Each structure stands twice: as C-alpha cells, then as structure tokens.
C-alpha cells in the first residue's frame, strides 16, 4: 500500500491509498473553494446522559446529485470533484459538511473505488484489503488527535438508509467521547466479569454462537452469526476469533482472510430477498474500543473489548422496510419481525457456490 497525503483547495486533507507503490499523486484541486466554516457543537442530554451533535451547516450539503455531477467520482477534464486526480484506488478526505469538527472531533469520507456504479460487494479481495488497510491507518492517525476518544468506521448503503450520494463510499467519525452504545457494552462487560468470576462477556458470546443455530459462517480466523437478541430483521455480527480491541491489533492472518469473509457476507445480503429485489440497503459498522481512559467502567481495560463488525438491513421482507416507530424511537425497545434463527438459516441458504 502506498499512502499520499495532500490538501484540497479549501485546506481539507485528502489521502490516496494505492495498490501500486509507483503511483504518483500530484494533481491539484483547481476548484475556487473558500475555507469550510462549520458550526458543529456537542450538547449533553442531562436526562439520558448521552450527546447530540448540532450541525446546522449540514443543511446545505450535496443532496442526490445526478451521476455526472457526483462529487466522489474522479476529476476529469473540466468536471472537477472532491478528488483532484483522474483515477484512484481508495481515497479518504475530510468531510466538507462534517457533523463533528475541531474540538468536537472529525468526520472523514472513504471512497472505496472510483467506479460510480459499483458496490463494496463488487470489489476484488485485493481492493477490499486496501479498504481495510485504509480504515486501520485512519484509526491510528485519528487516535492521536487530542479531541478524539473513539473512532468509528462505517458504511451506509442505499437511499432507504438515507444515503444522499450514490457513489460507493463510507465514513469515519472520530468522537470526542465514548459513544453511548459502546458505554453500554463496557458496563455489561464489567458486570459479567463481576458476576461470572472473571469471564470475558465477548468471549462467552462468540463461543456460544459459534456452535448454535444462529451461526452464519466461520473460517479459521473469523466467525459470523446473527445475535440472540437481534434488533434488526437481518443482522450479522462478525468477530475475529482472537479477541483484539481494534483494527490496529488484527494480526496478518486475520487481515488476509477478512476480504473473503466480508465480501461473502455482503453478497449474501444482496441475495436474501431474491433476484427481483433492488440491492439490499444496509449499515455496516465497526465497533472499536475507545482510546481514552476507562476508569468509569469498573476497571475494564481496552484489551477486554472485542473488535467486531455489525452488518444489518432495514428491509424486513421483499418490498417492505422496518421502520423505527413508537416503541423503538420512543422507548428504545426494538420489535423484530424476523426470528434470529430464521434469519441465520436464510443467510446460510443463500451462500454462494
């Protein structure tokens, strides 16, 4: 992997990740951009104890542009985009309309391929490995920023999810706090260790699901399953067999095997509802241990946390979506229409030949 860092016309950082070491990246951003002004603010909810990012400048962000005006395609001729070069393998750049900025963290965009009409599932294993390397490198770099406590790499796919740019891409949020969902995991981890005599909760879950009806697939270094209390109609959790706290700690064997496993999961998701259905909308989310101190979680350390990826779709059956209505949105109590065992069986049935 070759990494080349440059700056866009408004001062934002852009980084090329290339498969070839001899690739030269010297294209200049020719757009007449003024420096980005953001109004991101983190507000604490004193009743719930969580945080809300208020970012009014995002109202003006690019919204469903036609394909020939996509800002994530390479720049060619007089058609200028966020990527100055005429081609790329993987690109990461600071979001022009970030939810988090400055002392409130940082937001980045990850473009998986220059092919506008592709999807992550269309990548080769070599290309998918390059994306993994980019996620890992950005996690390392962002963890050194004084304002950053947790790094979150994710992909939103599909208009049903709320995606406003059709080009295959994901995002990275670098939060200045431990996110509420991770905090819940850490508290459960601490409680289980206390009541079980020292057992690690993540290890117990992976061991249980590796031998049960909710197993989707397993390899020498990874295991994927539908969780016992899945929130979403089709939801898969992917864990490395060797517990590690973050992407940085994955060994080479797991890194080499990841593209095969992950691409297989994505391709199965696209076959769940049959060939006549549009591409399956999904969210794919990496959960990594926070980089800050964890004293508030009863002595739990970063090494107790287990890196894992959660992949889920809001489609519950052909032509129907799962909406977060009163119980889910009002009280955070999910109601799942698809039994997790049924979802796992379906994901095993659509395994590619």
């Amino acid at each position: 992997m070759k990494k080349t860092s440059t700056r866009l016309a408004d001062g934002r950082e852009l980084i090329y990740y290339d498969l070839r070491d001899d690739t030269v990246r010297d294209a200049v951003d020719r757009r007449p951009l003024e420096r980005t002004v953001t109004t991101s603010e983190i507000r604490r909810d004193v009743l719930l104890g969580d945080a809300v990012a208020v970012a009014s400048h995002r109202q003006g962000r690019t919204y469903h542009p036609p394909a020939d005006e996509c800002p994530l395609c390479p720049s060619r001729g007089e058609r200028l985009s966020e990527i100055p070069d005429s081609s790329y393998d993987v690109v990461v750049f600071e979001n022009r309309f970030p939810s988090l900025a400055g002392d409130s963290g940082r937001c980045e965009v990850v473009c998986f391929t220059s092919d506008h009409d592709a999807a992550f599932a269309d990548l080769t294993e070599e290309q998918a490995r390059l994306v993994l390397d980019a996620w890992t490198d950005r996690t390392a770099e962002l963890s050194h920023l004084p304002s950053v406590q947790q790094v979150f790499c994710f992909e939103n796919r599909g208009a049903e999810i709320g995606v406003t740019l059709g080009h295959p891409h994901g995002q990275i949020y670098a939060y200045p706090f431990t996110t509420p969902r991770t905090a819940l995991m850490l508290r459960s981890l601490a409680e289980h260790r206390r009541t079980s005599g020292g057992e690690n909760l993540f290890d117990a879950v992976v061991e249980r699901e590796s031998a049960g009806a909710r197993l989707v697939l397993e390899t020498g270094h990874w295991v994927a399953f539908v969780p016992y209390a899945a929130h979403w109609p089709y939801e898969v959790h992917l864990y490395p067999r060797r517990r590690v706290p973050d992407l940085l700690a994955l060994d080479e064997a797991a890194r080499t095997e990841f593209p095969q496993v992950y691409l297989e999961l994505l391709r199965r998701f696209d076959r769940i509802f049959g060939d006549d259905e549009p591409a399956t909308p999904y969210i794919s989310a990496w959960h990594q241990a926070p980089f800050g101190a964890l004293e508030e979680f009863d002595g739990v350390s970063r090494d107790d946390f287990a890196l894992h990826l959660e992949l889920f779709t809001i489609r519950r059956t052909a032509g129907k979506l799962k909406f977060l209505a009163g119980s889910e949105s009002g009280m955070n109590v999910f109601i799942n229409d698809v039994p997790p065992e049924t979802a796992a069986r379906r994901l095993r049935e659509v395994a590619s030949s």
Side-chain angles (χ1 to χ4, degrees), residues 62-285:
T62 308
Y63 187 79
H64 292 296
D68 60 357
E69 295 178 16
C70 174
L72 306 185
C73 288
S75 293
R76 288 171 183 158
E78 296 306 309
R79 183 177 175 278
L80 306 179
S81 73
E82 290 280 67
I83 297 91
D85 216 322
S86 59
S87 66
Y88 64 83
D89 291 336
V90 173
V91 167
V92 177
F93 60 88
E94 288 184 75
N95 197 322
R96 191 177 178 187
F97 304 96
S99 303
L100 309 168
D103 293 339
S104 297
R106 176 158 156 154
C107 292
E108 298 181 340
V109 176
V110 184
C111 298
F112 303 138
T113 171
S114 60
D115 184 353
H116 180 86
D117 297 317
F120 200 117
D122 298 322
L123 301 183
T124 65
E125 291 186 14
E126 184 181 36
Q127 290 172 313
R129 169 61 190 264
L130 184 61
V131 175
L132 175 64
D133 290 342
W135 283 331
T136 305
D137 181 72
R138 296 315 302 153
T139 296
E141 293 293 329
L142 293 170
S143 70
H144 296 309
L145 297 180
S147 62
V148 172
Q149 188 165 326
Q150 187 172 4
V151 179
F152 176 47
C153 307
F154 65 100
E155 179 192 3
N156 298 327
R157 186 229 193 164
E160 300 94 330
I161 296 291
V163 174
T164 57
L165 297 176
H167 195 103
H169 73 288
Q171 300 181 66
I172 301 176
Y173 277 21
Y175 297 101
F177 50 80
T178 297
T179 60
R181 188 174 176 86
T182 302
L184 286 173
M185 292 184 196
L186 291 169
R187 293 189 183 102
S188 296
L189 187 63
E191 176 64 15
H192 184 81
R193 184 175 66 175
R194 184 183 66 80
T195 59
S196 68
E199 182 182 53
N200 183 281
L201 179 57
F202 287 111
D203 292 349
V205 168
V206 171
E207 181 179 2
R208 179 187 68 190
E209 300 295 0
S210 295
R214 291 177 294 277
L215 180 68
V216 174
L217 66 84
E218 57 181 337
T219 64
H221 300 282
W222 295 88
V223 58
F225 55 85
V226 178
Y228 172 75
H231 289 58
W232 300 94
Y234 290 89
E235 175 181 344
V236 174
H237 293 190
L238 176 64
Y239 281 78
R241 288 193 178 276
R242 183 177 70 88
R243 173 166 42 91
V244 295
D246 53 38
L247 290 167
L248 305 175
L250 280 176
D251 60 26
E252 183 57 30
R255 299 177 71 80
T256 299
E257 199 174 73
F258 170 77
Q260 171 192 346
V261 176
Y262 185 51
L263 291 172
E264 173 65 15
L265 284 177
L266 293 181
R267 290 162 186 168
R268 290 191 194 190
F269 258 59
D270 271 343
R271 291 193 294 269
I272 296 173
F273 305 104
D275 296 334
D276 294 334
E277 278 293 297
T280 301
Y282 65 73
I283 292 175
S284 177

